[in-house]
Short mmCIF file of all heavy atoms in Angstrom, two decimals:
data_model
loop_
_atom_site.label_atom_id
_atom_site.label_comp_id
_atom_site.label_asym_id
_atom_site.label_seq_id
_atom_site.Cartn_x
_atom_site.Cartn_y
_atom_site.Cartn_z
N ARG A 1 9.92 -9.47 10.47
CA ARG A 1 11.18 -8.86 10.49
C ARG A 1 11.05 -7.48 10.67
O ARG A 1 10.16 -6.74 10.23
CB ARG A 1 11.78 -9.10 9.02
CG ARG A 1 13.00 -8.55 8.79
CD ARG A 1 13.63 -9.02 7.43
NE ARG A 1 14.49 -7.99 7.05
CZ ARG A 1 14.87 -7.97 5.67
NH1 ARG A 1 14.57 -8.77 4.87
NH2 ARG A 1 15.73 -6.96 5.43
N GLU A 2 12.08 -6.84 11.42
CA GLU A 2 11.92 -5.46 11.85
C GLU A 2 12.74 -4.64 10.89
O GLU A 2 13.84 -4.99 10.40
CB GLU A 2 12.52 -5.22 13.22
CG GLU A 2 12.31 -3.93 13.73
CD GLU A 2 12.72 -3.76 15.29
OE1 GLU A 2 12.66 -4.76 16.00
OE2 GLU A 2 13.33 -2.67 15.52
N LEU A 3 12.22 -3.51 10.47
CA LEU A 3 12.89 -2.54 9.61
C LEU A 3 13.00 -1.25 10.30
O LEU A 3 11.98 -0.57 10.53
CB LEU A 3 12.06 -2.33 8.32
CG LEU A 3 11.82 -3.59 7.40
CD1 LEU A 3 10.87 -3.24 6.24
CD2 LEU A 3 13.18 -4.05 6.84
N PRO A 4 14.22 -0.90 10.75
CA PRO A 4 14.32 0.32 11.50
C PRO A 4 13.85 1.59 10.74
O PRO A 4 14.06 1.75 9.59
CB PRO A 4 15.92 0.43 11.65
CG PRO A 4 16.40 -0.95 11.47
CD PRO A 4 15.45 -1.61 10.46
N GLY A 5 13.14 2.44 11.48
CA GLY A 5 12.58 3.63 10.80
C GLY A 5 11.30 3.49 10.11
O GLY A 5 10.73 4.41 9.58
N VAL A 6 10.80 2.23 9.91
CA VAL A 6 9.58 1.99 9.20
C VAL A 6 8.42 1.64 10.22
O VAL A 6 8.65 0.76 11.02
CB VAL A 6 9.79 0.92 8.16
CG1 VAL A 6 8.46 0.59 7.43
CG2 VAL A 6 10.87 1.30 7.16
N THR A 7 7.34 2.23 10.04
CA THR A 7 6.23 1.95 10.90
C THR A 7 5.19 1.31 9.98
O THR A 7 5.03 1.60 8.85
CB THR A 7 5.62 3.09 11.59
OG1 THR A 7 5.19 4.14 10.77
CG2 THR A 7 6.67 3.75 12.62
N ALA A 8 4.37 0.35 10.59
CA ALA A 8 3.38 -0.32 9.83
C ALA A 8 2.13 -0.59 10.59
O ALA A 8 2.27 -0.85 11.89
CB ALA A 8 3.83 -1.68 9.19
N ASP A 9 0.96 -0.39 10.02
CA ASP A 9 -0.30 -0.84 10.75
C ASP A 9 -1.22 -1.40 9.75
O ASP A 9 -1.13 -1.17 8.49
CB ASP A 9 -0.81 0.32 11.58
CG ASP A 9 -1.28 1.52 10.74
OD1 ASP A 9 -0.37 2.27 10.32
OD2 ASP A 9 -2.44 1.67 10.47
N VAL A 10 -2.16 -2.18 10.18
CA VAL A 10 -3.07 -2.89 9.30
C VAL A 10 -4.43 -2.18 9.48
O VAL A 10 -4.78 -1.94 10.61
CB VAL A 10 -3.24 -4.36 9.74
CG1 VAL A 10 -4.27 -5.09 8.95
CG2 VAL A 10 -1.95 -5.02 9.71
N ARG A 11 -5.07 -1.92 8.29
CA ARG A 11 -6.30 -1.17 8.25
C ARG A 11 -7.29 -1.81 7.38
O ARG A 11 -6.90 -2.32 6.29
CB ARG A 11 -6.12 0.31 7.75
CG ARG A 11 -5.01 1.11 8.44
CD ARG A 11 -4.93 2.45 7.79
NE ARG A 11 -3.93 3.31 8.48
CZ ARG A 11 -3.58 4.41 8.06
NH1 ARG A 11 -4.06 4.94 6.88
NH2 ARG A 11 -2.66 5.11 8.66
N ASP A 12 -8.56 -1.64 7.65
CA ASP A 12 -9.65 -1.99 6.72
C ASP A 12 -9.67 -0.73 5.74
O ASP A 12 -9.47 0.36 6.14
CB ASP A 12 -10.93 -2.11 7.38
CG ASP A 12 -10.99 -3.38 8.29
OD1 ASP A 12 -10.47 -4.37 7.81
OD2 ASP A 12 -11.66 -3.34 9.32
N ASP A 13 -9.98 -1.08 4.53
CA ASP A 13 -9.99 -0.02 3.43
C ASP A 13 -10.87 -0.46 2.38
O ASP A 13 -11.60 -1.56 2.43
CB ASP A 13 -8.52 0.22 2.91
CG ASP A 13 -8.40 1.60 2.31
OD1 ASP A 13 -9.23 2.47 2.51
OD2 ASP A 13 -7.37 1.72 1.56
N VAL A 14 -10.99 0.35 1.31
CA VAL A 14 -11.75 -0.15 0.19
C VAL A 14 -10.79 0.14 -1.07
O VAL A 14 -10.03 1.08 -1.12
CB VAL A 14 -12.98 0.69 0.00
CG1 VAL A 14 -14.07 0.40 1.04
CG2 VAL A 14 -12.76 2.23 -0.15
N ALA A 15 -10.88 -0.75 -2.10
CA ALA A 15 -10.17 -0.56 -3.37
C ALA A 15 -11.33 -0.37 -4.36
O ALA A 15 -12.54 -0.63 -4.08
CB ALA A 15 -9.40 -1.74 -3.57
N PHE A 16 -11.00 0.02 -5.65
CA PHE A 16 -11.94 0.24 -6.58
C PHE A 16 -11.64 -0.76 -7.75
O PHE A 16 -10.48 -0.98 -8.11
CB PHE A 16 -11.98 1.65 -7.06
CG PHE A 16 -12.62 2.58 -6.01
CD1 PHE A 16 -11.77 3.19 -4.99
CD2 PHE A 16 -13.98 2.73 -5.89
CE1 PHE A 16 -12.27 3.94 -4.06
CE2 PHE A 16 -14.53 3.48 -4.98
CZ PHE A 16 -13.67 4.20 -4.02
N VAL A 17 -12.69 -1.36 -8.27
CA VAL A 17 -12.60 -2.41 -9.26
C VAL A 17 -11.76 -1.88 -10.57
O VAL A 17 -11.00 -2.61 -10.99
CB VAL A 17 -13.95 -2.93 -9.68
CG1 VAL A 17 -13.83 -3.86 -10.79
CG2 VAL A 17 -14.69 -3.49 -8.49
N GLY A 18 -12.02 -0.66 -10.96
CA GLY A 18 -11.31 -0.11 -12.12
C GLY A 18 -12.20 0.53 -13.11
O GLY A 18 -13.40 0.80 -12.84
N GLY A 19 -11.67 0.74 -14.25
CA GLY A 19 -12.38 1.51 -15.25
C GLY A 19 -13.41 0.55 -15.96
O GLY A 19 -13.87 -0.32 -15.43
N GLY A 20 -13.77 0.98 -17.08
CA GLY A 20 -14.74 0.17 -17.92
C GLY A 20 -16.13 0.31 -17.32
O GLY A 20 -16.53 1.50 -17.06
N SER A 21 -16.74 -0.73 -17.18
CA SER A 21 -18.26 -0.56 -16.69
C SER A 21 -18.37 -0.43 -15.25
O SER A 21 -19.48 -0.18 -14.76
CB SER A 21 -18.97 -1.83 -17.14
OG SER A 21 -18.34 -2.98 -16.51
N LEU A 22 -17.27 -0.53 -14.38
CA LEU A 22 -17.49 -0.48 -12.87
C LEU A 22 -16.35 0.47 -12.30
O LEU A 22 -15.72 0.12 -11.38
CB LEU A 22 -17.28 -1.85 -12.28
CG LEU A 22 -18.17 -2.90 -12.59
CD1 LEU A 22 -17.87 -4.27 -12.16
CD2 LEU A 22 -19.64 -2.53 -12.17
N PRO A 23 -16.30 1.74 -12.88
CA PRO A 23 -15.21 2.62 -12.31
C PRO A 23 -15.44 3.01 -10.85
O PRO A 23 -14.48 3.40 -10.16
CB PRO A 23 -15.24 3.77 -13.31
CG PRO A 23 -16.69 3.76 -13.82
CD PRO A 23 -17.10 2.45 -13.86
N ASP A 24 -16.64 3.06 -10.40
CA ASP A 24 -16.89 3.47 -9.02
C ASP A 24 -17.31 2.37 -8.06
O ASP A 24 -17.74 2.55 -7.01
CB ASP A 24 -18.03 4.58 -8.99
CG ASP A 24 -17.59 5.78 -9.80
OD1 ASP A 24 -16.50 6.16 -9.69
OD2 ASP A 24 -18.47 6.31 -10.47
N GLN A 25 -17.07 1.10 -8.49
CA GLN A 25 -17.39 -0.10 -7.66
C GLN A 25 -16.41 -0.30 -6.53
O GLN A 25 -15.31 -0.61 -6.84
CB GLN A 25 -17.54 -1.27 -8.53
CG GLN A 25 -17.94 -2.51 -7.73
CD GLN A 25 -19.34 -2.44 -7.19
OE1 GLN A 25 -20.24 -2.06 -7.82
NE2 GLN A 25 -19.52 -2.90 -5.96
N ALA A 26 -16.79 -0.06 -5.23
CA ALA A 26 -15.93 -0.24 -4.14
C ALA A 26 -15.84 -1.73 -3.67
O ALA A 26 -16.87 -2.41 -3.77
CB ALA A 26 -16.39 0.64 -2.94
N LEU A 27 -14.64 -2.14 -3.38
CA LEU A 27 -14.46 -3.49 -2.89
C LEU A 27 -13.75 -3.47 -1.57
O LEU A 27 -12.63 -2.95 -1.43
CB LEU A 27 -13.58 -4.22 -3.90
CG LEU A 27 -13.32 -5.67 -3.78
CD1 LEU A 27 -14.65 -6.48 -3.86
CD2 LEU A 27 -12.34 -6.07 -4.91
N PRO A 28 -14.34 -4.02 -0.50
CA PRO A 28 -13.69 -4.09 0.82
C PRO A 28 -12.29 -4.79 0.74
O PRO A 28 -12.17 -5.81 0.02
CB PRO A 28 -14.59 -4.77 1.78
CG PRO A 28 -15.89 -4.75 1.04
CD PRO A 28 -15.54 -4.74 -0.34
N THR A 29 -11.30 -4.31 1.43
CA THR A 29 -9.98 -4.92 1.47
C THR A 29 -9.34 -4.59 2.81
O THR A 29 -9.84 -3.87 3.67
CB THR A 29 -9.18 -4.43 0.29
OG1 THR A 29 -8.02 -5.25 0.08
CG2 THR A 29 -8.81 -3.02 0.30
N VAL A 30 -8.18 -5.16 2.94
CA VAL A 30 -7.30 -4.88 4.09
C VAL A 30 -5.90 -4.29 3.58
O VAL A 30 -5.47 -4.92 2.62
CB VAL A 30 -7.10 -6.14 5.00
CG1 VAL A 30 -6.06 -5.83 6.13
CG2 VAL A 30 -8.39 -6.60 5.54
N VAL A 31 -5.37 -3.28 4.10
CA VAL A 31 -4.07 -2.87 3.65
C VAL A 31 -3.09 -2.77 4.80
O VAL A 31 -3.48 -2.73 6.06
CB VAL A 31 -4.21 -1.36 3.10
CG1 VAL A 31 -5.12 -1.45 1.84
CG2 VAL A 31 -4.78 -0.40 4.11
N VAL A 32 -1.87 -2.74 4.43
CA VAL A 32 -0.75 -2.46 5.44
C VAL A 32 -0.30 -1.08 5.07
O VAL A 32 -0.01 -0.84 3.92
CB VAL A 32 0.38 -3.48 5.26
CG1 VAL A 32 1.53 -3.20 6.17
CG2 VAL A 32 -0.05 -4.95 5.56
N ALA A 33 -0.41 -0.19 6.01
CA ALA A 33 0.00 1.20 5.89
C ALA A 33 1.41 1.40 6.40
O ALA A 33 1.61 1.16 7.53
CB ALA A 33 -1.02 2.17 6.49
N LEU A 34 2.34 1.83 5.47
CA LEU A 34 3.69 1.99 5.86
C LEU A 34 4.15 3.47 5.84
O LEU A 34 3.71 4.23 5.02
CB LEU A 34 4.59 1.20 4.88
CG LEU A 34 4.27 -0.28 4.68
CD1 LEU A 34 5.07 -0.79 3.46
CD2 LEU A 34 4.65 -0.98 5.93
N ALA A 35 5.03 3.82 6.73
CA ALA A 35 5.62 5.10 6.63
C ALA A 35 7.16 4.90 7.05
O ALA A 35 7.49 4.06 7.81
CB ALA A 35 5.01 6.05 7.59
N ALA A 36 8.05 5.77 6.50
CA ALA A 36 9.49 5.63 6.72
C ALA A 36 9.96 6.92 7.29
O ALA A 36 9.70 7.99 6.68
CB ALA A 36 10.24 5.31 5.51
N ALA A 37 10.54 6.91 8.42
CA ALA A 37 11.13 8.14 9.19
C ALA A 37 12.09 8.80 8.12
O ALA A 37 12.89 8.14 7.63
CB ALA A 37 11.79 7.70 10.40
N GLY A 38 11.92 10.11 8.03
CA GLY A 38 12.80 10.84 7.23
C GLY A 38 12.58 10.81 5.75
O GLY A 38 13.28 11.49 4.95
N LEU A 39 11.56 10.12 5.23
CA LEU A 39 11.22 10.01 3.94
C LEU A 39 9.78 10.47 3.74
O LEU A 39 8.86 9.99 4.41
CB LEU A 39 11.33 8.74 3.28
CG LEU A 39 12.75 8.08 3.15
CD1 LEU A 39 12.70 6.73 2.57
CD2 LEU A 39 13.55 9.05 2.08
N GLY A 40 9.53 11.24 2.60
CA GLY A 40 8.12 11.57 2.32
C GLY A 40 7.42 10.35 1.66
O GLY A 40 8.19 9.40 1.32
N ASP A 41 6.17 10.27 1.62
CA ASP A 41 5.46 9.13 1.08
C ASP A 41 5.77 8.88 -0.37
O ASP A 41 5.99 7.80 -0.65
CB ASP A 41 3.88 9.28 1.24
CG ASP A 41 3.32 10.63 0.75
OD1 ASP A 41 4.00 11.41 0.07
OD2 ASP A 41 2.15 10.80 1.02
N ALA A 42 5.90 9.93 -1.14
CA ALA A 42 6.20 9.66 -2.54
C ALA A 42 7.61 9.12 -2.75
O ALA A 42 7.84 8.21 -3.56
CB ALA A 42 6.14 11.03 -3.44
N GLU A 43 8.57 9.66 -2.05
CA GLU A 43 9.99 9.06 -2.09
C GLU A 43 10.00 7.74 -1.62
O GLU A 43 10.69 6.95 -2.22
CB GLU A 43 10.89 9.98 -1.26
CG GLU A 43 12.39 9.51 -1.21
CD GLU A 43 13.08 9.53 -2.61
OE1 GLU A 43 12.71 10.22 -3.46
OE2 GLU A 43 14.05 8.72 -2.63
N PHE A 44 9.33 7.40 -0.47
CA PHE A 44 9.34 5.98 0.05
C PHE A 44 8.72 5.07 -0.93
O PHE A 44 9.22 3.98 -1.25
CB PHE A 44 8.53 6.04 1.31
CG PHE A 44 8.56 4.71 2.09
CD1 PHE A 44 9.67 3.79 2.07
CD2 PHE A 44 7.45 4.23 2.75
CE1 PHE A 44 9.65 2.70 2.73
CE2 PHE A 44 7.43 3.02 3.47
CZ PHE A 44 8.59 2.28 3.44
N ALA A 45 7.59 5.50 -1.67
CA ALA A 45 6.96 4.58 -2.62
C ALA A 45 7.91 4.42 -3.80
O ALA A 45 7.92 3.28 -4.39
CB ALA A 45 5.62 5.32 -3.15
N ALA A 46 8.55 5.42 -4.17
CA ALA A 46 9.56 5.37 -5.37
C ALA A 46 10.62 4.38 -5.11
O ALA A 46 11.03 3.51 -5.84
CB ALA A 46 10.08 6.66 -5.72
N ARG A 47 11.16 4.35 -3.77
CA ARG A 47 12.26 3.52 -3.40
C ARG A 47 11.71 2.06 -3.43
O ARG A 47 12.44 1.08 -3.77
CB ARG A 47 12.80 3.85 -2.04
CG ARG A 47 13.57 5.09 -2.12
CD ARG A 47 14.26 5.50 -0.87
NE ARG A 47 14.98 6.74 -0.92
CZ ARG A 47 15.86 7.13 -0.08
NH1 ARG A 47 16.16 6.31 1.02
NH2 ARG A 47 16.42 8.23 -0.10
N LEU A 48 10.51 1.85 -2.84
CA LEU A 48 9.92 0.50 -3.00
C LEU A 48 9.79 -0.08 -4.37
O LEU A 48 10.02 -1.18 -4.67
CB LEU A 48 8.57 0.52 -2.13
CG LEU A 48 8.63 0.63 -0.67
CD1 LEU A 48 7.27 0.82 -0.13
CD2 LEU A 48 9.28 -0.54 -0.04
N ARG A 49 9.28 0.85 -5.26
CA ARG A 49 9.07 0.40 -6.70
C ARG A 49 10.38 0.13 -7.33
O ARG A 49 10.31 -0.81 -8.33
CB ARG A 49 8.40 1.53 -7.41
CG ARG A 49 6.88 1.65 -7.23
CD ARG A 49 6.26 2.57 -8.32
NE ARG A 49 6.94 3.83 -8.48
CZ ARG A 49 6.77 4.97 -7.70
NH1 ARG A 49 5.88 4.91 -6.84
NH2 ARG A 49 7.44 6.05 -7.93
N THR A 50 11.40 0.69 -6.99
CA THR A 50 12.70 0.45 -7.73
C THR A 50 13.59 -0.49 -7.07
O THR A 50 14.75 -0.70 -7.46
CB THR A 50 13.44 1.78 -7.97
OG1 THR A 50 13.69 2.50 -6.78
CG2 THR A 50 12.60 2.88 -8.79
N GLY A 51 13.12 -1.07 -5.96
CA GLY A 51 13.86 -2.00 -5.16
C GLY A 51 13.80 -3.41 -5.94
O GLY A 51 13.20 -3.61 -6.95
N SER A 52 14.49 -4.41 -5.29
CA SER A 52 14.49 -5.78 -5.73
C SER A 52 14.14 -6.62 -4.65
O SER A 52 14.99 -6.88 -3.78
CB SER A 52 15.77 -6.07 -6.41
OG SER A 52 15.82 -7.35 -6.98
N PRO A 53 12.92 -7.23 -4.72
CA PRO A 53 11.97 -7.15 -5.73
C PRO A 53 11.14 -5.82 -5.55
O PRO A 53 11.18 -5.25 -4.48
CB PRO A 53 10.96 -8.24 -5.40
CG PRO A 53 11.13 -8.48 -3.84
CD PRO A 53 12.51 -8.15 -3.56
N ALA A 54 10.56 -5.37 -6.65
CA ALA A 54 9.76 -4.24 -6.77
C ALA A 54 8.56 -4.45 -5.87
O ALA A 54 7.87 -5.45 -5.95
CB ALA A 54 9.39 -3.86 -8.11
N VAL A 55 8.10 -3.38 -5.12
CA VAL A 55 6.93 -3.38 -4.30
C VAL A 55 6.13 -2.23 -4.74
O VAL A 55 6.53 -1.05 -4.60
CB VAL A 55 7.25 -3.42 -2.79
CG1 VAL A 55 5.99 -3.32 -1.91
CG2 VAL A 55 8.09 -4.64 -2.43
N VAL A 56 4.95 -2.47 -5.15
CA VAL A 56 4.09 -1.36 -5.64
C VAL A 56 2.83 -1.22 -4.82
O VAL A 56 2.09 -2.13 -4.55
CB VAL A 56 3.57 -1.62 -7.12
CG1 VAL A 56 2.69 -0.51 -7.64
CG2 VAL A 56 4.78 -1.83 -8.07
N GLY A 57 2.68 -0.05 -4.33
CA GLY A 57 1.55 0.27 -3.42
C GLY A 57 0.87 1.58 -3.91
O GLY A 57 1.34 2.12 -5.03
N ARG A 58 0.04 2.13 -3.16
CA ARG A 58 -0.59 3.41 -3.41
C ARG A 58 -0.33 4.36 -2.34
O ARG A 58 -0.13 3.93 -1.13
CB ARG A 58 -2.07 3.30 -3.78
CG ARG A 58 -3.00 3.01 -2.64
CD ARG A 58 -4.48 2.98 -3.15
NE ARG A 58 -5.40 3.06 -2.07
CZ ARG A 58 -5.91 2.00 -1.57
NH1 ARG A 58 -5.46 0.67 -1.97
NH2 ARG A 58 -6.78 1.99 -0.61
N VAL A 59 -0.21 5.63 -2.67
CA VAL A 59 0.05 6.60 -1.66
C VAL A 59 -1.25 7.35 -1.30
O VAL A 59 -1.99 7.66 -2.10
CB VAL A 59 1.04 7.69 -2.16
CG1 VAL A 59 1.27 8.81 -1.14
CG2 VAL A 59 2.39 7.05 -2.54
N GLN A 60 -1.46 7.34 0.09
CA GLN A 60 -2.75 7.97 0.61
C GLN A 60 -2.49 8.43 1.94
O GLN A 60 -1.93 7.64 2.79
CB GLN A 60 -3.84 6.88 0.55
CG GLN A 60 -5.14 7.40 0.90
CD GLN A 60 -6.20 6.34 0.93
OE1 GLN A 60 -6.27 5.61 -0.11
NE2 GLN A 60 -7.00 6.24 1.89
N ASP A 61 -2.87 9.70 2.27
CA ASP A 61 -2.74 10.21 3.65
C ASP A 61 -1.42 10.05 4.24
O ASP A 61 -1.29 9.78 5.40
CB ASP A 61 -3.86 9.68 4.47
CG ASP A 61 -5.24 9.89 3.97
OD1 ASP A 61 -5.49 10.96 3.44
OD2 ASP A 61 -6.10 8.95 4.24
N GLY A 62 -0.40 10.34 3.44
CA GLY A 62 1.05 10.31 3.99
C GLY A 62 1.48 8.93 4.19
O GLY A 62 2.59 8.74 4.83
N ARG A 63 1.04 7.84 3.81
CA ARG A 63 1.42 6.51 3.96
C ARG A 63 1.46 5.83 2.53
O ARG A 63 0.77 6.24 1.67
CB ARG A 63 0.36 5.74 4.83
CG ARG A 63 0.30 6.32 6.22
CD ARG A 63 1.34 5.77 7.09
NE ARG A 63 1.10 6.20 8.48
CZ ARG A 63 1.48 5.42 9.51
NH1 ARG A 63 2.05 4.30 9.30
NH2 ARG A 63 1.29 5.83 10.66
N VAL A 64 2.27 4.73 2.54
CA VAL A 64 2.21 3.85 1.42
C VAL A 64 1.42 2.70 1.78
O VAL A 64 1.68 2.04 2.73
CB VAL A 64 3.69 3.41 0.98
CG1 VAL A 64 3.55 2.50 -0.20
CG2 VAL A 64 4.47 4.55 0.57
N LEU A 65 0.37 2.36 1.03
CA LEU A 65 -0.59 1.36 1.28
C LEU A 65 -0.34 0.15 0.35
O LEU A 65 -0.34 0.24 -0.85
CB LEU A 65 -2.06 1.82 1.14
CG LEU A 65 -2.47 3.02 1.93
CD1 LEU A 65 -3.90 3.28 1.67
CD2 LEU A 65 -2.22 2.90 3.42
N LEU A 66 -0.25 -1.00 1.00
CA LEU A 66 -0.05 -2.31 0.30
C LEU A 66 -1.40 -3.05 0.48
O LEU A 66 -1.64 -3.38 1.62
CB LEU A 66 1.15 -3.04 0.86
CG LEU A 66 2.44 -2.41 0.84
CD1 LEU A 66 3.51 -3.24 1.34
CD2 LEU A 66 2.86 -1.88 -0.52
N ASP A 67 -2.05 -3.17 -0.60
CA ASP A 67 -3.40 -3.89 -0.61
C ASP A 67 -3.15 -5.31 -0.49
O ASP A 67 -2.59 -5.90 -1.50
CB ASP A 67 -4.15 -3.50 -1.81
CG ASP A 67 -5.57 -3.93 -1.79
OD1 ASP A 67 -5.90 -4.97 -1.17
OD2 ASP A 67 -6.51 -3.24 -2.34
N LEU A 68 -3.60 -6.02 0.46
CA LEU A 68 -3.40 -7.47 0.64
C LEU A 68 -4.14 -8.30 -0.31
O LEU A 68 -3.81 -9.50 -0.55
CB LEU A 68 -3.69 -7.96 2.09
CG LEU A 68 -2.75 -7.28 3.13
CD1 LEU A 68 -3.06 -7.79 4.47
CD2 LEU A 68 -1.25 -7.42 2.74
N ARG A 69 -5.10 -7.74 -1.08
CA ARG A 69 -5.73 -8.47 -2.13
C ARG A 69 -4.72 -8.80 -3.26
O ARG A 69 -4.96 -9.67 -4.03
CB ARG A 69 -6.89 -7.67 -2.82
CG ARG A 69 -8.01 -7.56 -2.06
CD ARG A 69 -9.20 -6.83 -2.85
NE ARG A 69 -8.74 -5.70 -3.55
CZ ARG A 69 -8.66 -5.65 -4.79
NH1 ARG A 69 -8.89 -6.69 -5.59
NH2 ARG A 69 -8.21 -4.54 -5.41
N THR A 70 -3.64 -8.03 -3.44
CA THR A 70 -2.70 -8.13 -4.54
C THR A 70 -1.47 -8.89 -4.07
O THR A 70 -0.54 -8.96 -4.82
CB THR A 70 -2.39 -6.78 -5.06
OG1 THR A 70 -1.74 -6.04 -4.04
CG2 THR A 70 -3.58 -5.94 -5.47
N VAL A 71 -1.40 -9.49 -2.87
CA VAL A 71 -0.21 -10.22 -2.36
C VAL A 71 -0.53 -11.68 -2.53
O VAL A 71 -1.55 -12.20 -2.00
CB VAL A 71 0.07 -9.81 -0.95
CG1 VAL A 71 1.22 -10.61 -0.35
CG2 VAL A 71 0.30 -8.26 -0.84
N PHE A 72 0.42 -12.46 -2.98
CA PHE A 72 0.28 -13.91 -3.15
C PHE A 72 0.24 -14.48 -1.79
O PHE A 72 0.95 -13.98 -0.83
CB PHE A 72 1.42 -14.40 -3.93
CG PHE A 72 1.46 -14.13 -5.40
CD1 PHE A 72 2.54 -13.43 -5.92
CD2 PHE A 72 0.38 -14.39 -6.21
CE1 PHE A 72 2.53 -13.09 -7.27
CE2 PHE A 72 0.35 -14.06 -7.45
CZ PHE A 72 1.47 -13.36 -8.06
N ASP A 73 -0.38 -15.60 -1.59
CA ASP A 73 -0.41 -16.33 -0.31
C ASP A 73 1.04 -16.66 0.07
O ASP A 73 1.45 -16.63 1.16
CB ASP A 73 -1.19 -17.63 -0.40
CG ASP A 73 -2.69 -17.44 -0.50
OD1 ASP A 73 -3.21 -16.30 -0.20
OD2 ASP A 73 -3.42 -18.38 -0.92
#
């Protein structure tokens, strides 16, 4: 599906396992990097989070990244 003004590309990336005993453990992943024309990355991320359904990603290097490890089949 095409979304006017939104660009997307697929990238290899790394995610981190999290806190506790493995805070620096990197895990290879694939992300979809999104940008919206006329919106900053933080504003775009906020609109995605408050949409229906809510979409939660991370902001990095001017893009909103959706980690495919966290997407249901």
Side-chain angles (χ1 to χ4, degrees):
R1 181 172 154 194
E2 188 173 324
L3 297 173
V6 176
T7 58
D9 61 283
V10 177
R11 303 178 180 176
D12 290 324
D13 201 17
V14 294
F16 290 90
V17 174
S21 62
L22 299 170
D24 297 324
Q25 180 66 45
L27 183 66
T29 190
V30 175
V31 297
V32 176
L34 302 171
L39 288 177
D41 54 6
E43 176 65 21
F44 185 38
R47 289 186 185 192
L48 289 171
R49 280 193 311 274
T50 58
S52 181
V55 176
V56 179
R58 72 178 190 271
V59 175
Q60 182 179 317
D61 299 327
R63 300 274 186 150
V64 177
L65 305 182
L66 304 179
D67 190 330
L68 296 183
R69 284 185 318 106
T70 63
V71 177
F72 295 120
D73 290 339

